[in-house]
Amino acid sequence: MNDLGRLHYELVTSVWRDDLRAYAYESDGFELVTGTKLRPNIAVDCMLEVYQAWVTGRMSDRVVLETSPGTGKSTIKVVASSWEIARNPAHRMLHGSHSYELASRDSRRTRRIVESPAFKARFGVQLRSDENTMGYWSSTEGGFYVAAGAGSGVTGHRVNSVVIDDGLSALGAHSKADRDAAYTWLAEGMLTRIDTDTQGRDGRALVVGQRLAASDLAGRLRETGAWTVVTVPAEFDPRRRCFVFARDGRELWRDPREQEGELAAPDVLPAQKLAELRAAIGSAAFNAHYNQAPGSDETSLCPAKWWRFYRSAHATGSQRRPIGCDDAPAVVLPDPFSRTVIASDLTFGATGASADYAVVACWAVSGGGRYLLELFRRRCGFDEQVSAIAGMAERHPGAKVVIEAAANGRAVVETLRKSVAGVLTVKAQGSKAQRLAAIVPAIESGSCYLPESAPWLADLVEEFQTFPGAHDDIVDACGYAIADLGNRVSHDVDAPGALGGPIGDVSTTSSQEYSVLGGEVDVERERYDIDLDLARRP
């Protein structure tokens, strides 16, 4: 290498040591790990800016970085870690994840870069041969890298920085116990290991990952008010534009997007892929994982934690529940019930990916509890909707059948009355939010129970928690049933006293209608099946 070549080589080395962006894009570190060169996008741009400012001390020492899976956050962390070692081989770092396998994987990837001939030649960093394992390796200058999984002990190591990448798993977010354990591990374990660095600066901590639930690690750290939070949603929301500021108040980065829905990483997360992910995991999970906007107990009309759960008398083992739900033990399903209601929210029969769902829900009451026994939810045509209601009525003899008088509801009623007794139509009154608000006290009081093993459980909890959302069909159907079970309405009859007073929920005069907590039943029948309703009277 001639003098000019040597000068250029040293100049590039100096630039790379000072500038993470240049190092990440121009060196072969990212390619060593992934096999491809790093490509720029808004998410990558933000992550590089945050790591640069965090490592160099230009911004807060406590940072939460929220970004989508699939944007390269773990690989950016690996490259940034090798860059920090290039800057200061004496730096001591502790990296954790929700599993040791992931933490040790990133340890190996970082070591692969640091041990590459190009890195050693350019930055002069040497690793010790006697301290070079999968989860722990050190430099001859006294720096080291420690990998730790959630819950593992980290005593004995004093470090200058801590990085947590996905400290809580997506499955662990379903459990309050797991969420609490992850936070305790971070707060009382990892963060207590931080010491001042070799320049006398305070130690640093960075928590990076996707949001999973309102009370996940990032959510808990937000509540302390002591952490700087940087958020890069996959789809831009102008109301949540992110700004990153230096310690001196100067702006370091701002989300450059202007149009609502504009993508952060269209090269790896294009619109079609995001649409498929939303359909596959549901809007609530998608908004948490990809848009960093988990449903909040504070903003939801009906948060997940309000639901209670039941199991059959013969069920064994615990069942997984949707994120945010209460962890209290499931009660045993009572038997018998005093009343049963089947309520429906039907459609005109479109079956496309954007069509509404037809929903049929069977609820029953016993004592002070309301129990969801069955739920049918499908994009389907007229005949299948009729069959779903008729089948549910057959499985629950004596149940009152209530159908919303919208879409093809009236046609379904006329068809069902040929074979199913006691079918009523319900006219919706007020807005959907008003009707939901009318039944919220019953759910909040802990009197509404769901089967903890049902395959549609997450869809139901999501619809209620994220209302108003993409779909509200479950909310409508269940709302009619819960409201009906919660109100006993007395009615006049053609011959007062002839039947001994109130007869339940069916009027014997075709001109009467009655309110059911925001809905009204329009009795349009040629026969009234009074005997059936009397048989259901508690």
Side-chain angles (χ1 to χ4, degrees):
M1 185 182 297
N2 57 31
D3 291 344
L4 185 59
R6 170 58 61 182
L7 179 62
H8 179 267
Y9 184 85
E10 291 177 353
L11 179 61
V12 169
T13 300
S14 177
V15 170
W16 285 3
R17 187 178 281 117
D18 291 336
D19 187 350
L20 173 59
R21 186 183 304 276
Y23 173 81
Y25 282 117
E26 298 170 13
S27 76
D28 61 358
F30 192 90
E31 190 172 7
L32 273 176
V33 174
T34 66
T36 62
K37 284 288 188 181
L38 177 63
R39 294 184 294 177
N41 58 48
I42 291 171
V44 168
D45 182 60
C46 178
M47 287 186 279
L48 292 175
E49 191 66 54
V50 168
Y51 271 106
Q52 170 95 28
W54 178 71
V55 169
T56 58
R58 294 189 65 197
M59 68 180 298
S60 167
D61 291 329
R62 298 288 187 271
V63 176
V64 174
L65 176 56
E66 304 169 348
T67 187
S68 308
T71 55
K73 58 183 177 57
S74 295
T75 308
I76 293 292
K77 181 201 71 173
V78 165
V79 172
S81 299
S82 69
W83 175 72
E84 187 160 15
I85 293 168
R87 288 173 51 83
N88 181 13
H91 188 76
R92 307 187 306 273
M93 58 182 67
L94 172 60
H95 285 240
S97 183
H98 67 81
S99 73
Y100 179 70
E101 287 74 19
L102 288 178
S104 60
R105 178 205 66 182
D106 287 350
S107 170
R108 295 192 305 271
R109 296 164 83 191
T110 307
R111 187 179 63 185
R112 188 187 313 164
I113 297 174
V114 174
E115 287 189 316
S116 67
F119 186 96
K120 290 193 292 187
R122 189 175 290 275
F123 299 109
V125 176
Q126 297 293 323
L127 300 187
R128 294 174 58 99
S129 59
D130 59 342
E131 291 181 336
N132 196 342
T133 64
M134 181 171 63
Y136 178 87
W137 41 274
S138 62
S139 70
T140 55
E141 285 82 358
F144 58 75
Y145 185 115
V146 181
S152 61
V154 290
T155 55
H157 299 292
R158 303 299 300 179
V159 300
N160 308 131
S161 67
V162 165
V163 177
I164 305 296
D165 181 14
D166 288 333
L168 180 67
S169 71
L171 291 179
H174 288 260
S175 166
K176 182 177 184 300
D178 288 352
R179 296 194 301 271
D180 289 345
Y183 182 77
T184 299
W185 169 69
L186 168 66
E188 299 181 13
M190 302 289 278
L191 297 184
T192 63
R193 302 292 91 205
I194 299 176
D195 222 341
T196 56
D197 64 16
T198 53
Q199 285 82 40
R201 289 171 42 203
D202 290 338
R204 297 173 277 112
L206 174 69
V207 175
V208 60
Q210 73 216 54
R211 294 302 307 274
L212 299 170
S215 56
D216 60 9
L217 279 180
R220 296 281 290 271
L221 295 176
R222 278 171 172 268
E223 291 176 0
T224 68
W227 293 68
T228 296
V229 180
V230 181
T231 304
V232 188
E235 300 170 320
F236 182 58
D237 181 350
R239 297 165 299 181
R240 302 172 59 222
R241 185 189 299 274
C242 182
F243 297 84
V244 179
F245 294 98
R247 290 179 183 273
D248 60 8
R250 285 182 292 177
E251 184 180 297
L252 296 174
W253 183 87
R254 73 163 61 192
D255 196 320
R257 294 174 285 180
E258 296 294 337
Q259 299 299 317
E260 184 170 1
E262 191 174 346
L263 304 184
D267 54 325
V268 291
L269 291 175
Q272 179 62 32
K273 184 173 183 178
L274 290 175
E276 292 170 354
L277 287 165
R278 189 191 300 271
I281 66 177
S283 60
F286 179 86
N287 284 331
H289 294 220
Y290 289 88
N291 285 332
Q292 315 314 311
S296 168
D297 288 352
E298 287 72 32
T299 60
S300 173
L301 289 173
C302 186
K305 65 182 181 181
W306 287 352
W307 295 103
R308 297 297 179 263
F309 295 87
Y310 72 81
R311 60 179 177 83
S312 68
H314 306 292
T316 58
S318 60
Q319 301 289 335
R320 192 172 300 281
R321 298 174 185 176
I323 291 175
C325 287
D326 187 75
D327 289 335
V331 302
V332 175
L333 183 66
D335 184 38
F337 297 107
S338 57
R339 295 179 64 229
T340 305
V341 174
I342 296 172
S344 305
D345 182 58
L346 305 180
T347 72
F348 282 112
T351 58
S354 61
D356 287 334
Y357 289 91
V359 174
V360 186
C362 180
W363 283 80
V365 64
S366 177
R370 302 165 181 83
Y371 301 83
L372 178 53
L373 306 182
E374 285 192 58
L375 184 78
F376 171 92
R377 180 181 188 253
R378 191 173 301 169
R379 295 182 174 102
C380 58
F382 180 86
D383 291 343
E384 192 171 356
Q385 294 178 49
V386 171
S387 296
I389 299 171
M392 205 173 287
E394 184 177 355
R395 289 187 294 275
H396 302 278
K400 174 182 174 182
V401 180
V402 176
I403 298 173
E404 184 179 11
N408 60 1
R410 293 189 182 277
V412 170
V413 168
E414 293 305 316
T415 302
L416 284 172
R417 282 178 179 166
K418 300 172 184 177
S419 58
V420 178
V423 180
L424 303 176
T425 57
V426 177
K427 288 183 178 179
Q429 290 184 330
S431 67
K432 290 178 179 288
Q434 288 172 326
R435 298 201 298 273
L436 174 58
I439 64 166
V440 156
I443 302 172
E444 185 176 8
S445 69
S447 67
C448 292
Y449 292 84
L450 308 176
E452 62 177 357
S453 59
W456 37 258
L457 203 57
D459 291 324
L460 183 147
V461 172
E462 174 187 324
E463 269 201 23
F464 273 88
Q465 175 150 318
T466 60
F467 179 91
H471 297 285
D472 52 31
D473 318 286
I474 297 177
V475 173
D476 275 352
C478 290
Y480 289 130
I482 295 172
D484 191 273
L485 293 174
N487 263 7
R488 297 309 311 275
V489 184
S490 297
H491 302 285
D492 294 330
V493 295
D494 289 334
L499 296 176
I503 63 169
D505 296 302
V506 178
S507 168
T508 60
T509 59
S510 60
S511 62
Q512 288 181 320
E513 298 175 348
Y514 64 88
S515 174
V516 184
L517 278 178
E520 61 179 20
V521 173
D522 179 14
V523 182
E524 297 176 336
R525 301 179 292 150
E526 295 180 358
R527 56 193 181 89
Y528 299 108
D529 302 296
I530 296 174
D531 292 339
L532 175 63
D533 194 72
L534 283 171
R536 294 201 307 268
R537 183 182 176 191

